[in-house]
Amino acid sequence: MTSLSRELVFLILQFLDEEKFKETVHKLEKESGFFFNMRYFEDSVTNGEWDEVEKYLSGFTKVDDNRYSMKIFFEIRKQKYLEALDRNDQAKAVEILVKDLKVFSTFNEDLFKEITLLLTLQNFRENEQLSKYGDTKSARAIMLVELKKLIEANPLFREKLQFPSLKNSRLRTLINQSLNWQHQLCKNPKPNPDIKTLFVDHACGQPNGARAPSPVANPIIGSMPKVGGFPPIGAHGPFQPAPGPIASLGGWMSNPPSMPHQAISGGPIGLSPPTNAASMLKHPRTPPANNAALDYQTADSEHVLKRPRPFGMSEEVNNLPVNIFPVTYPGQSHAHSLHSSDDLPKTVVVNLNQGSAVKSMDFHPVQHTLLLVGTNIGDIAIWEIGGRERLAFKNFKVWEIGNCSMTLQASLANEYTATVNRVMWSPDGNLLGVAYSKHIVHLYSYHGGDDLRNHLEIDAHVGNVSDLAFSHPNKQLCIITCGEDKAIRVWDAATGSKQYTFEGHEAPVYSVCPHYKENIQFIFATAVDGKIKAWLYDNMGSRVDYDAPGHSCTTMAYSADGARLFSCGTSKDGESYLVEWNESEGAVKRTYIGLGKRSVGVVQFDTTKNKILAAGDEFIIKFWDMDSTNLLTTADAEGGLPASPCIRFSKEGTLLAVSTSENGVKILANADGLRLIRSIESRGLDPSRVPPGAVAKNGDNRSLQDIKPRISDELEKSKIWKLTEINEPAQVRSLRLPDNLLSVRIIRLMYTNSGGAILALAYNAVHKLWKWPRNEKNVTGKASTAFLPQLWQPSSGILMTNDISETNPEEAVPCFALSKNDSYVMSASGGKISLFNMMTFKTMTTFMPPPPAATFLAFHPQDNNIIAIGMEDYSIQIYNVRVDEVKSKLKGHQKRVTGLAFSSVLNVLVSSGADAQLCVWSMDGWEKKTSKFLQIPSGRAINPLSQTRVQFHQDQTHMLVVHETQIAIYEASKLECVKQWVSPNVAVTDATYSCDSQSIFASFDDGSVSIFTAAALKLRCRVNPTAYLPSNPSSRVYPLVVAAHPSEANQCAVGLTDGGVYVLEPLESEGKWGMPPPNENGVAPGGMSSAATGLDQASR
């Protein structure tokens, strides 16, 4: 096939994909063999559509083409075989063995025999090589990773994995150009030719007289109105005029009905009066007179070639004799011009660790750096993002259980947990509302800083409360809720009294969107069955009843100026729709292109400043200009986003919050947003602590005078600031964990990722696991000083014990690493590395017997099968557990390796050693990028075996370095020391970042635990041993290790030389560890000054 023919196939593929000819597009891919659609292949494998997988592959390769192809087909058929065995379908397994796998026996007869023997086993996992086989879903995912690598390496797929870069609708554009060229060749070109076919060349007939003007001055295409621009004519369209006084929503209030009305199917969607069709036909859109050339159709023009008629468009309009392939004109203006992607908030400036999955967010309407967050376990938090500080925090808790319905009380008795479905600020920012998955809506009043007070608790709906919103009907602030009981309710925000109940949906109501136009207040509500209804505040029933595109679960939102209405939803099949509505007609005006076909969950979207739409989809953020259907740009927020992240713009559109897959929030900024964040950092003033009423509203700078006293207050506080010293047990919450095993000093300590357990490794190579119970008192099941955990052991009574045969415990450097899902721990105490099952404590496998012994372990951030292992022989081994193979061996240290940390942002591994040296290694080729020795204070005697440890800040660019002489903050890429705190007379035993990277917990060999500000490395609080350790003059006990809770920023645990483990928290009345030193609220790692030591040393 010639090159141009090949390119024509790509154009056809693009056309088929845009027109949603789903089966045809993949048939053409296979039959032409020009483009291997990896995403389609992945979906087919994930869904186990094995026949389609092999059929699709057959268009590109055969089993015996080469070794890569053979391995691809073998892995697919092996997986199909194992799945049949796993569901005990012996007949199917035998069929696969004979028909599909026997072909491989000629290449490897022993392997085929071993596969055959699996039929004789009750569970094929009894085979050692298959012992780690998990469930079907995980096995397919693992296989898919291997298949992608094989396909990418297979020369037969070379240049077939990338679709060429084409402008949208390229084939349409070429045809449009051809039509215009044909028309220019006409002897008597008409100004408005009627082109009805593409099957023959176009030619204008004789115009009965004078020659028509040149097409250059009168472009033929686009001179008629766009098809989508015509309103329905007569009563034949799907949106028929309603009888009587409610012909449009715009006439409701001017002609109030005297009696209740039934819902009008397909009535107009908005409040604007319908456009007069006759006037539009009399004044069709014409090109500007100075247009010198045609601007051919691109994706910015509306597509009118689609098979179904446009949603909400009448048949008469669809059959009007207008030209296909309409074009736009260079001089034609839109209400808003296209916007540069540079204006969008795409730069990550802040990372916040919320600690649980974020479900909803909202920026404060006045204080633009204040973010409200709600999570999947019922927590809410208020963050000051300029200072990276969590100001206020609330767990899910019913305030007055006795006032709740019996249904809710029964539900809570069964499980005292709830998810936050929606959080929202009131328009003035003085109140905030929280909708939970169980009946309840909470209203809090906010008074600045951490002053968040209970205001109202409303038992709003039976079951799930899906959404809430604030509104001002009758000039009275109300809160609107909707829920699983199919109802919408309106409550007085001051008293909690119910004002209205709107019923009529036949399915649970998913979202509400209140609005007003021309002094008319109304509410749109969407249900999970895709129905959209609208109500006035009059108890007269629903005024509108129509379907969302794709019958999708939909949310609606207006542009900032209230002039344009948008919706975004996801159908049961996972197909998502982002559209703009024509309110006067109840029809879709514009459908935006670019959302995924298989979205996970309901895609969330937001609007900003009358310009931009954004949606979280396919692990990225997608942006559209409101006036163009094409995707404007995307942002990946430096990775780490879930499939359908939660997103929220600030009110000015300069900041964008997006949820992460690691239970956090990333803040993205444009240039203005970056200046806003930096201005707060440089001021050291926390604007969130200013009461809401004192902040400038609507740009009124006169209110700034109210802030001036705050600055003088800060200066006054700076004069009297004093380090918080905790000396008495009554000044701290502490808990020694129960232990009936042999007490041996704790060498390593960590929380599980869930936050509900603590794992310790003792000097005698035994692991200890404490679990906190989940019950009515401890509803979250997280570690806490308020509840006693259980030293957990399986029924077998076995202990997780490392191999210590032929090792000297005094010389060993114990180490362990926990898998992300808390299922496995990898550990070593100078002997072999052991892999333990955290549920059964069984040893799954052991590997890498010494010498050399492992001294540190770290999982690769993207692949749990790859671990970095620091070794006693000064090297680092990059080891693939799955294939039992050392991929690389890194050499650069002069003593044993004692610390490892990965940064997925910088794509590096940082190592530290007993030689007090830091090394940076590229994760691409594992070559060393740079190295540097620590700045050891002069005159200090250093223990030759002292350990240096490293840990990355949440921003993944700065890191904490811990040595017995110091704690330091380094910029990782260049190993530049930006902060250093030198311990004057006691040794640092360990240190770690808090979960939000705002604090550093450090332990010392005098028994104390100190809390530093992470931003400027200044001491803010010290817990002395007298506060948490019992007095015992005969023995010296101190913490060797410290660990930070993964979601509670003020909780830490310490492991002691006497074998004890303590959990420490500040008093509940305090909430935090002392007061930060002056001018520290809002200094970011990026704003750190050069390395220095100062007052903190003298304070020890």
Side-chain angles (χ1 to χ4, degrees):
M1 193 178 276
T2 66
S3 174
L4 286 179
S5 298
R6 184 174 183 273
E7 291 184 358
L8 179 59
V9 171
F10 281 114
L11 294 176
I12 295 170
L13 285 172
Q14 183 195 41
F15 175 80
L16 293 172
D17 183 60
E18 289 173 345
E19 296 302 311
K20 294 184 173 58
F21 291 93
K22 295 182 179 179
E23 292 183 13
T24 309
V25 72
H26 299 310
K27 283 182 180 178
L28 182 55
E29 287 166 356
K30 177 179 77 72
E31 290 178 5
S32 68
F34 289 152
F35 174 62
F36 184 82
N37 191 325
M38 186 68 85
R39 181 175 171 184
Y40 173 68
F41 179 74
E42 288 175 13
D43 289 345
S44 300
V45 170
T46 302
N47 296 330
E49 298 165 354
W50 303 120
D51 291 344
E52 178 57 27
V53 167
E54 289 214 19
K55 191 186 299 182
Y56 189 69
L57 272 173
S58 67
F60 303 88
T61 185
K62 300 293 184 290
V63 175
D64 54 357
D65 278 346
N66 56 41
R67 61 191 180 93
Y68 297 104
S69 300
M70 186 180 298
K71 185 82 164 85
I72 291 168
F73 280 96
F74 174 74
E75 289 294 332
I76 292 168
R77 294 175 183 182
K78 182 186 74 174
Q79 179 63 29
K80 187 165 60 165
Y81 177 63
L82 293 177
E83 288 182 18
L85 291 175
D86 207 23
R87 59 178 183 266
N88 296 317
D89 190 345
Q90 290 280 327
K92 184 65 176 176
V94 170
E95 180 187 332
I96 295 168
L97 188 70
V98 174
K99 288 185 177 180
D100 296 334
L101 288 169
K102 190 170 178 60
V103 66
F104 301 104
S105 63
T106 57
F107 305 102
N108 191 330
E109 190 172 352
D110 292 337
L111 178 61
F112 181 73
K113 287 179 180 178
E114 189 174 359
I115 291 173
T116 305
L117 287 174
L118 296 179
L119 286 166
T120 65
L121 301 177
Q122 189 170 357
N123 186 337
F124 64 77
R125 293 172 182 82
E126 296 171 22
N127 182 294
E128 186 178 354
Q129 294 183 47
L130 296 171
S131 60
K132 297 177 185 176
Y133 185 98
D135 58 11
T136 297
K137 185 177 179 181
S138 62
R140 287 177 183 173
I142 292 168
M143 178 189 69
L144 194 53
V145 173
E146 294 300 318
L147 290 179
K148 288 174 70 175
K149 290 178 181 176
L150 289 168
I151 289 169
E152 287 166 0
N154 194 330
L156 294 176
F157 289 84
R158 200 163 292 152
E159 299 179 357
K160 295 182 180 180
L161 300 177
Q162 290 293 328
F163 198 85
S165 178
L166 302 174
K167 286 187 176 181
N168 288 2
S169 307
R170 178 61 182 160
L171 185 58
R172 301 171 189 268
T173 301
L174 292 174
I175 295 173
N176 207 23
Q177 290 171 341
S178 173
L179 289 174
N180 280 277
W181 174 77
Q182 292 172 32
H183 185 63
Q184 289 180 21
L185 297 181
C186 290
K187 293 181 179 179
N188 300 294
K190 294 180 179 179
N192 296 303
D194 186 9
I195 302 176
K196 294 181 178 180
T197 181
L198 300 178
F199 295 157
V200 296
D201 286 349
H202 161 71
C204 289
Q206 188 68 23
N208 297 324
R211 181 186 172 95
S214 163
V216 175
N218 293 277
I220 62 164
I221 298 172
S223 58
M224 291 291 287
K226 287 187 181 180
V227 175
F230 288 103
I233 298 171
H236 304 291
F239 290 87
Q240 298 176 11
I246 51 172
S248 73
L249 287 179
W252 289 350
M253 299 306 290
S254 58
N255 298 287
S258 58
M259 58 180 289
H261 296 273
Q262 297 296 320
I264 299 157
S265 177
I269 185 172
L271 297 184
S272 305
T275 307
N276 187 294
S279 66
M280 284 196 69
L281 290 172
K282 290 176 184 176
H283 305 284
R285 187 187 68 183
T286 56
N290 61 350
N291 185 32
L294 290 174
D295 180 13
Y296 296 106
Q297 159 103 2
T298 66
D300 291 343
S301 305
E302 294 191 18
H303 302 320
V304 294
L305 266 186
K306 298 193 175 184
R307 289 171 295 156
R309 58 189 173 85
F311 182 84
M313 187 183 301
S314 73
E315 291 288 355
E316 290 191 23
V317 172
N318 208 40
N319 293 329
L320 284 173
V322 295
N323 297 311
I324 58 173
F325 306 112
V327 297
T328 57
Y329 302 93
Q332 181 184 325
S333 64
H334 293 288
H336 305 284
S337 59
L338 294 179
H339 300 280
S340 166
S341 62
D342 295 338
D343 298 335
L344 301 174
K346 295 172 67 177
T347 303
V348 177
V349 292
V350 176
N351 282 275
L352 306 175
N353 186 355
Q354 178 60 38
S356 48
V358 173
K359 301 290 288 183
S360 178
M361 299 180 288
D362 194 27
F363 278 95
H364 195 278
V366 180
Q367 301 173 41
H368 297 153
T369 58
L370 213 60
L371 181 67
L372 173 63
V373 177
T375 79
N376 68 327
I377 61 171
D379 297 343
I380 65 164
I382 298 174
W383 290 87
E384 168 44 59
I385 60 175
R388 283 79 166 168
E389 183 180 8
R390 190 173 71 181
L391 300 175
F393 177 83
K394 298 282 185 182
N395 293 119
F396 172 70
K397 184 179 181 181
V398 177
W399 304 341
E400 296 292 341
I401 189 71
N403 295 339
C404 297
S405 65
M406 295 306 296
T407 309
L408 175 56
Q409 292 185 40
S411 175
L412 293 172
N414 182 47
E415 185 181 22
Y416 197 95
T417 58
T419 295
V420 173
N421 285 329
R422 177 71 107 131
V423 293
M424 181 173 282
W425 292 102
S426 64
D428 60 5
N430 290 325
L431 295 176
L432 64 90
V434 187
Y436 293 101
S437 61
K438 287 188 177 176
H439 296 242
I440 290 289
V441 168
H442 279 161
L443 260 68
Y444 293 89
S445 61
Y446 184 59
H447 303 270
D450 58 0
D451 192 356
L452 184 62
R453 305 174 193 173
N454 296 358
H455 176 57
L456 285 176
E457 181 174 70
I458 304 173
D459 191 347
H461 295 270
V462 178
N464 189 49
V465 185
S466 309
D467 197 10
L468 62 78
F470 287 94
S471 185
H472 278 95
N474 307 317
K475 298 182 180 179
Q476 171 188 9
L477 183 63
C478 290
I479 186 164
I480 304 164
T481 64
C482 64
E484 192 176 351
D485 56 7
K486 308 175 187 176
I488 299 101
R489 295 190 173 94
V490 182
W491 314 84
D492 187 307
T495 66
S497 62
K498 184 164 61 179
Q499 305 294 302
Y500 301 95
T501 297
F502 300 129
E503 295 178 328
H505 273 293
E506 297 176 359
V509 185
Y510 181 71
S511 71
V512 287
C513 177
H515 196 55
Y516 69 92
K517 272 194 175 182
E518 300 170 4
N519 298 319
I520 301 172
Q521 301 265 0
F522 58 97
I523 304 169
F524 282 120
T526 70
V528 297
D529 60 0
K531 290 289 183 183
I532 301 175
K533 295 178 183 288
W535 282 268
L536 293 176
Y537 294 88
D538 60 3
N539 288 321
M540 294 295 186
S542 169
R543 298 304 218 284
V544 158
D545 186 353
Y546 57 94
D547 294 326
H551 295 277
S552 53
C553 208
T554 296
T555 54
M556 307 185 81
Y558 275 88
S559 56
D561 61 0
R564 303 171 70 174
L565 177 62
F566 303 89
S567 74
C568 183
T570 304
S571 69
K572 293 178 181 178
D573 298 329
E575 187 156 4
S576 296
Y577 304 85
L578 177 61
V579 303
E580 180 179 4
W581 291 89
N582 183 326
E583 290 184 83
S584 64
E585 299 172 20
V588 170
K589 176 181 179 182
R590 182 179 282 113
T591 299
Y592 297 91
I593 299 166
L595 286 178
K597 304 290 194 297
R598 290 173 178 253
S599 301
V600 178
V602 178
V603 170
Q604 294 199 25
F605 87 118
D606 201 5
T607 68
T608 182
K609 300 282 283 186
N610 314 327
K611 299 178 182 179
I612 297 298
L613 299 169
D617 185 37
E618 297 182 307
F619 305 95
I620 57 175
I621 306 156
K622 299 177 178 180
F623 297 93
W624 292 263
D625 184 290
M626 287 181 178
D627 295 313
S628 172
T629 58
N630 293 319
L631 200 59
L632 178 62
T633 187
T634 63
D636 65 359
E638 299 176 358
L641 303 187
S644 297
C646 172
I647 66 167
R648 192 69 171 168
F649 280 109
S650 65
K651 298 304 178 274
E652 292 298 310
T654 59
L655 301 172
L656 177 64
V658 58
S659 62
T660 72
S661 54
E662 297 295 328
N663 299 337
V665 177
K666 291 185 178 185
I667 306 298
L668 284 67
N670 63 9
D672 290 337
L674 196 56
R675 280 191 288 272
L676 175 64
I677 296 291
R678 285 176 176 169
S679 68
I680 293 171
E681 294 170 357
S682 62
R683 285 203 307 266
L685 170 66
D686 185 352
S688 60
R689 298 190 182 277
V690 183
V695 180
K697 296 183 181 181
N698 300 322
D700 185 1
N701 292 328
R702 291 172 297 176
S703 299
L704 291 176
Q705 63 188 1
D706 299 330
I707 299 178
K708 290 179 182 177
R710 283 284 306 158
I711 300 175
S712 60
D713 290 347
E714 293 289 328
L715 293 173
E716 190 63 32
K717 286 181 182 178
S718 70
K719 296 175 185 176
I720 60 174
W721 179 85
K722 186 180 177 182
L723 172 70
T724 303
E725 294 268 7
I726 296 177
N727 299 306
E728 303 294 332
Q731 295 176 295
V732 67
R733 290 184 291 167
S734 66
L735 174 69
R736 181 168 177 133
L737 306 189
D739 190 354
N740 55 14
L741 299 176
L742 182 65
S743 292
V744 181
R745 70 175 180 261
I746 303 300
I747 306 295
R748 291 287 179 266
L749 188 72
M750 69 167 66
Y751 284 86
T752 56
N753 295 299
S754 66
I758 288 178
L759 179 66
L761 174 58
Y763 173 73
N764 62 352
V766 173
H767 298 78
K768 298 178 182 182
L769 179 66
W770 289 272
K771 288 186 177 181
W772 270 258
R774 185 190 293 269
N775 51 38
E776 287 185 9
K777 293 182 178 179
N778 185 18
V779 293
T780 65
K782 290 183 178 179
S784 168
T785 54
F787 309 103
L788 201 64
Q790 175 189 5
L791 180 62
W792 199 84
Q793 281 184 274
S795 56
S796 63
I798 63 172
L799 300 175
M800 283 192 290
T801 307
N802 281 333
D803 166 50
I804 50 174
S805 58
E806 302 177 11
T807 63
N808 181 351
E810 289 297 328
E811 295 180 358
V813 182
C815 53
F816 63 11
L818 190 63
S819 65
K820 289 179 182 177
N821 60 3
D822 295 335
S823 298
Y824 301 96
V825 63
M826 198 170 290
S827 183
S829 295
K832 298 176 186 174
I833 300 174
S834 300
L835 181 68
F836 296 101
N837 183 306
M838 286 278 281
M839 289 297 294
T840 64
F841 283 13
K842 289 183 179 178
T843 306
M844 306 299 292
T845 186
T846 59
F847 55 95
M848 283 204 171
T855 54
F856 203 91
L857 300 166
F859 282 101
H860 192 287
Q862 280 96 38
D863 189 346
N864 261 345
N865 288 312
I866 296 176
I867 54 172
I869 308 173
M871 307 299 287
E872 196 174 33
D873 67 352
Y874 322 157
S875 70
I876 302 162
Q877 299 196 17
I878 308 302
Y879 177 74
N880 190 314
V881 181
R882 190 159 179 260
V883 297
D884 189 22
E885 181 182 346
V886 175
K887 295 292 187 182
S888 295
K889 191 169 183 178
L890 318 182
K891 293 183 179 180
H893 285 280
Q894 299 168 15
K895 291 183 180 179
R896 63 190 179 192
V897 177
T898 57
L900 295 168
F902 283 98
S903 169
S904 52
V905 170
L906 299 176
N907 202 37
V908 297
L909 168 68
V910 176
S911 61
S912 58
D915 55 1
Q917 184 185 193
L918 305 174
C919 295
V920 180
W921 312 85
S922 167
M923 285 163 58
D924 290 330
W926 301 111
E927 72 277 2
K928 186 162 79 169
K929 300 181 73 173
T930 186
S931 63
K932 185 175 286 188
F933 285 91
L934 298 187
Q935 303 168 9
I936 303 297
S938 58
R940 293 291 289 269
I942 304 301
N943 180 350
L945 297 179
S946 78
Q947 300 181 25
T948 307
R949 296 182 194 164
V950 287
Q951 180 191 8
F952 269 99
H953 184 279
Q954 205 174 53
D955 66 9
Q956 292 275 293
T957 59
H958 293 83
M959 64 181 183
L960 173 66
V961 179
V962 186
H963 187 263
E964 66 174 26
T965 65
Q966 64 189 272
I967 301 166
I969 305 293
Y970 277 74
E971 195 283 312
S973 62
K974 299 177 182 177
L975 288 184
E976 178 183 343
C977 181
V978 292
K979 284 287 178 183
Q980 182 188 42
W981 184 91
V982 176
S983 179
N985 47 31
V986 294
V988 181
T989 58
D990 196 15
T992 183
Y993 277 120
S994 61
C995 63
D996 58 3
S997 293
Q998 299 303 297
S999 302
I1000 294 170
F1001 299 109
S1003 56
F1004 298 86
D1005 69 357
D1006 65 353
S1008 67
V1009 178
S1010 291
I1011 297 90
F1012 295 80
T1013 62
L1017 205 52
K1018 288 193 176 182
L1019 190 58
R1020 65 183 286 170
C1021 179
R1022 180 161 54 231
V1023 183
N1024 289 307
T1026 53
Y1028 72 101
L1029 294 178
S1031 177
N1032 188 353
S1034 62
S1035 66
R1036 178 171 170 257
V1037 177
Y1038 59 91
L1040 284 172
V1041 283
V1042 61
H1045 192 284
S1047 58
E1048 295 294 334
N1050 289 298
Q1051 186 186 131
C1052 69
V1054 291
L1056 306 180
T1057 51
D1058 70 351
V1061 175
Y1062 278 84
V1063 176
L1064 302 177
E1065 292 181 285
L1067 293 177
E1068 205 162 6
S1069 58
E1070 298 291 333
K1072 296 178 182 178
W1073 294 104
M1075 287 293 293
N1079 301 322
E1080 287 308 308
N1081 292 341
V1083 178
M1088 294 173 177
S1089 60
S1090 58
T1093 60
L1095 294 173
D1096 295 331
Q1097 294 182 16
S1099 68
R1100 282 206 65 86

